[in-house]
Amino acid sequence: MARRNRDVSTRDGVAAGALLRRLFDAALAAADPARAVAGHLPSPVSGRTVVVGAGKASAAMARAFETHWPGSLAGLVVTRRGHTVPCQRIEIVEASHPVPDAAGEGAARRILDLADSLGRDDQLVCLISGGGSALLALPAPGLTLADKQSVTRALLRSGATIGEINTVRKHLSAIKGGRLAAAAAPATVVTLAISDVPGDDPAVIASGPTVPDPTSFADAQAVLAKYRIQKPAAVIAHVAAAAAETPKPGDPIFERCRFELIASPQQALAAAADAALASGVTPIVLSDRIEGEARDVALVHAAIAQQLRAGEFRIGHDSVALPAVLLSGGETTVTVRGGGRGGRNTEFLLALAAALDGTPGISAIACDTDGIDGTEDNAGAIVYPDSVARAAKAGIAVREALARNDGYGFFAALGDLVTTSPTLTNVNDFRAILVTG
C-alpha cells in the first residue's frame, strides 16, 4: 500500500489533533437525527398519529419528525436536561440521566397513558435513542422511584455492561421491555431508533419499550447476584417474585409493531473512515461493538497501534502503510474504585496513554457521541505522544490518575478535553487512534 501523508505531519500534534476532531465530527454528522428521521417517515393512518419517545436524541428526532410530517400530530417525548430543542406540536420534557428522577417518572406515566388511549385505527410513533432507559423511569407496581435510583447507582458503579443493566431495568419497569407496545395494542406501532448499544439489539436500545424482551426475571436476578447488589430490599423481592414477566417473542401484541434502525455506530464509523481516506489516511475499522473495562480495552488498542507503527499490521499479504487510523465504537464500562472525575472515554485514554508511555507518532481521541462523557461537561479528550511527559511536569502521574479514575482531572490539566456541548444524537463511544510513524 502506497504511503500517503498529504494531510498529516509526524511531528505536528496540532495537525494530528485537528484530523482526529474532523473524524469525530464526521461520525456525528452521520448520526444527525434531522437527516436520519426524514427518510423513515411511516405512512399516515385513518386515525390519530401520536408521537412519543425517550433518549438523548429524542427531542431532535421529534423536531425532524414534525417538520416532515404532513398531517395532524400530537405527542410527548422525554430527553436529558440540556438536550431539548423547540417543537411546535410535540411536547418536550427534560429529565435526569443516568439516574432517573421524578420528571422522567411523570413523563413515562403520561406516555403510557397516551399509548393506552389509542385504538385500532391509530398509530403510535416511538422515537428511541440512547439514554431512554433512565428517562422512561416508571417503576413497576410495588416499587418506588427511590428504589430504581438506588439500584441504578449501584449498577453504574459495578462495571456491568449496558445489556446487563437494561436486563434489570426492564424487570423493574411498567413501560420498558415491550410494555409500551402492550399498552398501545391494537394500534399500529412504529419505532424509529438511533442505536447506542453494541450489536444494535432492539431489545437493549432504551430497554426496548416496543419490542419483545428475550430476557427474564431469572436473568435480572443473575445480574444482581453477579455484581453483589443486595438492596434495596424491595427490588430484590420484586425480582425474586417474578410475578409479571415482560412480553416475549411471538406474543400477538407485536403483530402490528415495526422497528426501524435509522442511525447506528457502524454508520458513524464508516463516515469517519471516509473522512480519513479523504485526508490520505488509511482507516482500519476494528469494531462498532467493543465492550469491557475501559482500561482493558485500552491495552488491546495500544498493542494494535504499536503493531501498526512497527509496520507489522498485515491485511492479506500487505502491511498497512502509514499514516493510518484505528477506528472503534461500542460501550466500555468503568468499575469505580477511586474518587476522581471522568467517564469511560477519558478512562480509556488514561489507560492508553499509560500503555503507550510516550510512543512517538501515536495520538488518539475518545468521545461519547452524545457530547457528555459520563456525567461531566466534556465529550472526551485527546492523547498526544507527549501527554504523559507534560502531565509529569505538572506533577501529575498518569497511573495515579488512573487509580483514582480521574481522567477528567488529568486531561483538564493538560488542556486536552474535547468539549462539544450536547450533540443531540447518540451512537455511543467513538475512538480513533492515529498512527503517523
Side-chain angles (χ1 to χ4, degrees):
M1 298 182 184
R3 181 180 179 87
R4 293 171 295 183
N5 58 11
R6 172 161 49 91
D7 199 41
V8 180
S9 166
T10 59
R11 295 175 296 277
D12 189 353
V14 174
L19 175 57
L20 290 168
R21 280 301 304 265
R22 288 202 301 276
L23 301 187
F24 180 47
D25 290 342
L28 293 178
D32 181 4
R35 182 170 65 182
V37 168
H40 293 84
L41 297 182
S43 299
V45 295
S46 60
R48 293 183 294 156
T49 292
V50 173
V51 174
V52 299
K56 299 172 188 175
S58 63
M61 295 170 77
R63 181 167 66 180
F65 190 94
E66 71 173 21
T67 297
H68 296 283
W69 186 251
S72 62
L73 190 65
L76 182 155
V77 304
V78 56
T79 193
R80 181 175 179 166
R81 287 194 173 86
H83 292 243
T84 191
V85 296
C87 291
Q88 298 298 317
R89 295 177 284 172
I90 301 171
E91 181 183 352
I92 309 298
V93 174
E94 291 185 309
S96 176
H97 178 281
V99 178
D101 66 0
E105 180 181 23
R109 191 176 305 281
R110 292 175 60 198
I111 286 172
L112 194 67
D113 289 343
L114 279 172
D116 194 51
S117 73
L118 300 178
R120 175 169 289 274
D121 295 332
D122 300 325
Q123 174 172 244
L124 184 73
V125 178
C126 192
L127 306 176
I128 291 296
S129 64
S133 285
L135 296 165
L136 283 176
L138 186 58
L143 298 178
T144 67
L145 177 62
D147 292 330
K148 296 197 71 172
Q149 289 171 329
S150 177
V151 77
T152 297
R153 291 189 183 98
L155 285 166
L156 291 173
R157 293 180 64 88
S158 72
T161 68
I162 187 61
E164 290 173 326
I165 291 173
N166 285 359
T167 293
V168 175
R169 283 168 161 164
K170 284 184 281 191
H171 289 88
L172 305 181
S173 176
I175 193 170
K176 295 190 278 283
R179 297 188 191 277
L180 180 59
T188 297
V189 178
V190 178
T191 301
L192 305 182
I194 295 178
S195 173
D196 73 323
V197 303
D200 304 329
D201 185 349
V204 181
I205 303 169
S207 292
T210 60
V211 298
D213 177 28
T215 69
S216 66
F217 272 105
D219 295 323
Q221 192 171 28
V223 172
L224 295 174
K226 177 180 177 180
Y227 295 102
R228 300 180 182 179
I229 296 172
Q230 300 174 342
K231 56 184 181 180
V235 166
I236 304 304
H238 177 82
V239 173
E245 189 54 271
T246 50
K248 301 304 176 196
D251 193 307
I253 67 166
F254 298 109
E255 288 179 357
R256 305 188 72 195
C257 295
R258 186 173 84 250
F259 179 94
E260 294 187 28
L261 184 67
I262 64 172
S264 69
Q266 179 57 34
Q267 291 172 357
L269 293 180
D274 289 343
L277 284 170
S279 294
V281 177
T282 301
I284 303 168
V285 179
L286 297 176
S287 175
D288 69 339
R289 58 188 71 192
I290 293 175
E291 297 182 273
E293 281 285 328
R295 60 182 65 193
D296 297 334
V297 171
L299 293 179
V300 176
H301 280 65
I304 297 172
Q306 288 171 323
Q307 186 90 352
L308 186 59
R309 182 177 181 272
E312 297 172 352
F313 189 97
R314 290 178 52 174
I315 298 177
H317 295 293
D318 298 320
S319 296
V320 176
L322 303 181
V325 63
L326 301 169
L327 299 170
S328 70
E331 182 165 332
T332 62
T333 54
V334 176
T335 301
V336 180
R337 299 182 178 90
R341 299 172 61 192
R344 57 185 182 260
N345 288 287
T346 50
E347 176 99 351
F348 169 87
L349 290 173
L350 265 184
L352 184 76
L356 293 174
D357 195 25
T359 300
I362 303 179
S363 302
I365 189 171
C367 291
D368 195 320
T369 53
D370 68 2
I372 306 295
D373 187 30
T375 59
E376 303 300 336
D377 59 1
N378 64 312
I382 298 179
V383 156
Y384 297 99
D386 66 348
S387 292
V388 172
R390 285 189 290 130
K393 287 183 180 179
I396 304 170
V398 64
R399 295 190 183 279
E400 291 181 6
L402 187 59
R404 297 195 307 273
N405 302 115
D406 193 26
Y408 185 96
F410 182 91
F411 291 106
L414 298 180
D416 291 336
L417 292 173
V418 173
T419 303
T420 62
S421 72
T423 63
L424 306 182
T425 192
N426 185 14
V427 287
N428 226 317
D429 297 338
F430 174 84
R431 294 177 290 270
I433 303 176
L434 178 64
V435 184
T436 58

